[in-house]
Amino acid sequence: MKKGEVSNQKTGVWQASLFVLALILLAAGLVFSVMAAITFGNADISLKDVYSVVGCEVLKMKRFSGFSEGSVHDVVWLIRFPRVVLALAVGMGLSVCGVVMQAIVKNPLADPYILGVSSGASLGATLAILLRIGSIFGGNFVGVMAFVGAMITSFMVMAIANMGGRANAGKLILAGTAVSSVCSAFSSFIIFMVNDNNATAEVMRWTMGSLSGADWSRAAVIFPVVLASTLIFWTQYRSLNLMLLGDEVSITLGTNLHKSRTAYLILSSVIVGAAVYAAGMIGFVGLVIPHVIRILFGTDHKRLIPLSALLGSIFLIWADVASRIILKNAEMPIGILVSLIGAPCFIYLLVKRSYGFGGGRS
Amino acid sequence: MNILSEDIRLSYDSAEILKGASVRAADREFVGLIGPNGSGKSTLLKCIYRVLRPDVGCVYLDGEPLSGLSYKESARRMAVVAQHNYYNFDFSVREVVLMGRSPHKRAMERDNARDYAIVEEALKKVGMLAFADRNFSTLSGGEQQRVILARALAQQTPCLILDEPTNHLDITHQLQLLRIVKALDITVIAAIHDLNMAAMFCDRIYVLQEGQIVGQGAPGEVLTREMIQKIYHVNSETVKDSRGRTHILFI
């Protein structure tokens, strides 16, 4: 028995330090990714110039004051940098949303895209762009409408899935697909009726997903929103863990999840709204990233949330780099690229039935 | 800690499941709840552990009405081991038991060395320490049930509710689980199917039929031929062994 105890304590410590190590490595990886990603682009700018601009703008070093304006400065600081920051925020947001939605519906197949929340956000944005609905919300009204759309759809999907008995994975995914189709149909209908080429092009950009419209004014709103929401969700790790055990067990463990579930849905709608506003529809990130982290580090949300956030941002930064350089002289929409990777992973998860589809015991 | 449920009534739609059930467990008393399927045992227990809210009636912990306590507070006084524990996600055994510490934690508070020590202690008590880093869902039914008991122990409550915890367990594990609980020497209310198990462990037994308490008392007084005939419609004989314990033989 004694021997067992010692080895148990050791594995506990080992796991904890493994988590800290992973956290540090991923954080370092994120910094590296940001610094590397800004060197890629159509304009041919030397590494030295790129980092001189960074030195000037980020570190405020006098030595590089020559780079505080001009075309090199504009390309690096006004085009590339905000874009990388947005990619970071969107990747983080979608991954964390995936984790939270999976906890809410108690199934690892949930994701903002699959549950139709992204489509809802997209419909909200379409209404805003084409019909100027919601312009009373001020300058960022497209983003606000995306949030409203995301929130309405997430509550709608939950309500439909809960009709006539408790929600299970199958019902949720069907409800998500149905709501998503309705939203897409409405978006298409509006695009068809308005018949305005510029606006249609803009909406297309949304539905395929792209970060090409990035600028600091957007990044400055979206990055803090996503970061703050992620940190809030991290503090909620205990409730998120309990959520997976179900409502009854949670009550016997001292937490009534009814209110927190609603709060989490609203907060994740904020994130999805922000992500869709920044980059349009990008699917499957929230599905694949948490899955990878779960395989490596288990289900505990104390580890799952920060690690998914970091891995998700790194993943999306590089996906965006790839979408910029895969085609010569043109950009591939990042949504298409990510779906090409993500959809097969989704199918794999569906087929590997043991991973919690439905109620059977694995 | 004593528990009192007073005149609990509960209806689903038009069907009245509980028709005024009153149950009392004194400090450190092991109280059993028996009755046929559908008699309302689980429903009554769920009212006691707050998953269901009774239409009428109230549950008191040490004289305080349950509805006046926060969920955290009630989870610090009363832990629950119920029947179904199926999880879609892979938690390690240690993580499952550590969740038993959550009623003692504030929102942002971290798990400290003491929590881990309590978890180890609980796992040791149920004989599952060697499984601490195993995946919960890969364990057998009996092992899972012992881990859930360890989680309840980690809550360090003066009271424990058992909702048919020994279903699906073989006789070794039934006895083992109930012996562990008995040895805790805390207030226990347990729904038990097996009348011989009830006779063996309970200080007092309540008999529930169609949502009403139809009998109560020490096992020897309650588990009579007549009562068993009336409640379960089966013939039986009862015998006392050399230690004075009641045993039921079904004919």
Side-chain angles (χ1 to χ4, degrees):
Chain A
M1 208 63 202
K2 263 246 148 67
K3 214 172 173 186
E5 274 169 51
V6 173
S7 75
N8 271 330
Q9 269 169 5
K10 257 189 197 158
T11 38
V13 172
W14 167 240
Q15 273 184 341
S17 43
L18 199 67
F19 162 66
V20 173
L21 187 70
L23 204 60
I24 293 168
L25 280 180
L26 281 176
L30 182 58
V31 173
F32 167 78
S33 301
V34 171
M35 295 319 278
I38 52 172
T39 64
F40 292 95
N42 275 331
D44 204 8
I45 303 173
S46 73
L47 284 182
K48 184 164 166 283
D49 287 357
V50 169
Y51 291 119
S52 300
V53 173
V54 174
C56 165
E57 283 288 349
V58 179
L59 305 173
K60 306 284 178 209
M61 290 203 277
K62 286 262 159 32
R63 195 146 63 85
F64 301 118
S65 54
F67 287 91
S68 64
E69 53 193 354
S71 62
V72 170
H73 168 269
D74 289 354
V75 168
V76 173
W77 185 247
L78 298 182
I79 297 176
R80 288 186 189 172
F81 216 104
R83 181 170 180 154
V84 172
V85 169
L86 265 189
L88 186 162
V90 170
M92 180 182 285
L94 290 176
S95 306
V96 171
C97 268
V99 171
V100 172
M101 288 185 173
Q102 285 151 21
I104 289 174
V105 308
K106 284 187 279 180
N107 195 287
L109 292 173
D111 155 72
Y113 189 72
I114 290 161
L115 290 188
V117 181
S118 298
S119 300
S122 189
L123 175 60
T126 309
L127 287 171
I129 296 169
L130 293 182
L131 305 178
R132 310 208 57 77
I133 290 175
S135 52
I136 44 163
F137 292 124
N140 278 323
F141 75 100
V142 179
V144 175
M145 284 299 287
F147 155 67
V148 171
M151 196 168 68
I152 292 172
T153 37
S154 45
F155 280 97
M156 208 151 84
V157 169
M158 288 292 283
I160 292 175
N162 276 306
M163 272 178 201
R166 288 203 19 222
N168 59 36
K171 275 168 83 182
L172 268 164
I173 289 169
L174 288 176
T177 315
V179 170
S180 170
S181 308
V182 170
C183 292
S184 306
F186 262 109
S187 301
S188 305
F189 176 71
I190 294 163
I191 295 167
F192 180 74
M193 292 309 283
V194 170
N195 197 14
D196 167 345
N197 281 337
N198 289 334
T200 308
E202 196 181 344
V203 171
M204 273 295 272
R205 195 179 66 74
W206 282 78
T207 49
M208 288 197 204
S210 167
L211 285 155
S212 59
D215 56 31
W216 275 119
S217 67
R218 263 188 213 184
V221 176
I222 287 163
F223 179 68
V225 166
V226 171
L227 189 65
S229 315
T230 301
L231 291 176
I232 291 172
F233 277 134
W234 195 7
T235 66
Q236 299 297 307
Y237 72 88
R238 223 176 248 122
S239 300
L240 288 166
N241 282 344
L242 288 175
M243 232 167 223
L244 297 183
L245 307 192
D247 285 10
E248 295 197 358
V249 176
S250 304
I251 285 179
T252 70
L253 292 174
T255 311
N256 189 1
L257 292 171
H258 196 73
K259 277 185 198 137
S260 21
R261 196 184 342 265
T262 311
Y264 295 169
L265 266 181
I266 293 173
L267 191 56
S268 49
S269 303
V270 171
I271 301 184
V272 176
V276 168
Y277 176 45
M281 302 244 285
I282 300 178
F284 303 110
V285 177
L287 192 78
V288 177
I289 301 292
H291 181 64
V292 171
I293 300 291
R294 267 198 207 97
I295 288 175
L296 296 173
F297 296 94
T299 307
D300 187 354
H301 286 83
K302 189 166 57 181
R303 291 175 227 146
L304 189 54
I305 297 247
L307 295 179
S308 298
L310 289 172
L311 187 65
S313 13
I314 293 174
F315 173 75
L316 215 69
I317 288 173
W318 287 106
D320 182 50
V321 168
S323 78
R324 274 186 280 164
I325 60 177
I326 271 181
L327 303 178
K328 271 228 151 61
N329 301 322
E331 249 195 63
M332 182 161 167
I334 188 173
I336 296 178
L337 188 78
V338 173
S339 290
L340 283 177
I341 306 168
C345 293
F346 177 58
I347 294 169
Y348 168 75
L349 286 185
L350 269 178
V351 172
K352 201 173 144 239
R353 198 180 164 282
S354 66
Y355 197 57
F357 186 73
R361 185 176 285 263
S362 58
Chain B
M1 159 159 289
N2 65 66
I3 305 173
L4 174 66
S5 88
E6 213 172 48
D7 192 30
I8 303 286
R9 289 166 194 273
L10 185 85
S11 311
Y12 284 126
D13 300 325
S14 59
E16 201 173 21
I17 310 288
L18 293 173
K19 302 166 185 163
S22 300
V23 171
R24 190 178 53 81
D27 191 33
R28 292 164 201 269
E29 194 179 22
F30 196 125
V31 170
L33 207 53
I34 64 169
N37 290 336
S39 59
K41 296 190 298 290
S42 267
T43 313
L44 176 57
L45 286 184
K46 279 183 179 167
C47 288
I48 294 177
Y49 64 77
R50 292 189 98 171
V51 166
L52 293 175
R53 193 188 298 261
D55 302 333
V56 180
C58 189
V59 177
Y60 300 91
L61 299 181
D62 270 344
E64 279 183 77
L66 196 58
S67 49
L69 299 173
S70 71
Y71 284 99
K72 261 207 167 102
E73 188 56 46
S74 60
R76 267 181 273 191
R77 300 190 186 186
M78 157 172 84
V80 180
V81 179
Q83 331 174 24
H84 294 290
N85 288 287
Y86 163 72
Y87 304 136
N88 246 342
F89 290 83
D90 298 335
F91 280 111
S92 77
V93 167
R94 191 191 306 275
E95 282 163 353
V96 170
V97 180
L98 193 58
M99 288 187 213
R101 297 302 300 154
S102 47
H104 298 274
K105 295 278 152 186
R106 286 188 301 274
M108 308 275 226
E109 199 178 341
R110 293 177 39 148
D111 306 309
N112 54 36
R114 186 164 167 268
D115 295 317
Y116 283 98
I118 289 168
V119 167
E120 300 254 315
E121 188 57 39
L123 279 170
K124 201 195 280 178
K125 219 172 220 168
V126 301
M128 290 294 292
L129 190 55
F131 292 75
D133 293 301
R134 282 273 297 277
N135 183 339
F136 180 81
S137 55
T138 63
L139 302 182
S140 74
E143 289 163 344
Q144 289 190 345
Q145 206 61 330
R146 278 146 75 194
V147 172
I148 299 301
L149 176 61
R151 186 178 71 198
L153 298 184
Q155 279 175 258
Q156 297 191 312
T157 54
C159 159
L160 191 61
I161 309 283
L162 307 175
D163 191 351
E164 290 175 20
T166 56
N167 275 13
H168 317 298
L169 298 193
D170 61 31
I171 186 70
T172 317
H173 292 110
Q174 286 188 23
L175 285 169
Q176 183 190 36
L177 192 134
L178 288 171
R179 279 191 180 126
I180 294 167
V181 172
K182 185 82 178 170
L184 294 172
D185 195 23
I186 59 178
T187 310
V188 177
I189 298 184
I192 299 178
H193 250 310
D194 188 320
L195 299 182
N196 282 309
M197 288 287 164
M200 204 169 158
F201 288 98
C202 297
D203 300 321
R204 220 146 45 79
I205 290 177
Y206 283 90
V207 186
L208 202 58
Q209 188 184 30
E210 288 171 4
Q212 278 172 315
I213 302 290
V214 293
Q216 64 126 330
E221 300 162 17
V222 172
L223 297 171
T224 57
R225 234 167 55 114
E226 295 75 28
M227 180 62 99
I228 290 166
Q229 170 65 36
K230 190 179 143 210
I231 301 297
Y232 293 98
H233 311 297
V234 292
N235 291 318
S236 63
E237 277 174 24
T238 57
V239 292
K240 289 209 189 269
D241 66 13
S242 55
R243 281 179 284 181
R245 279 207 196 113
T246 306
H247 292 264
I248 298 131
L249 309 169
F250 298 101
I251 323 171

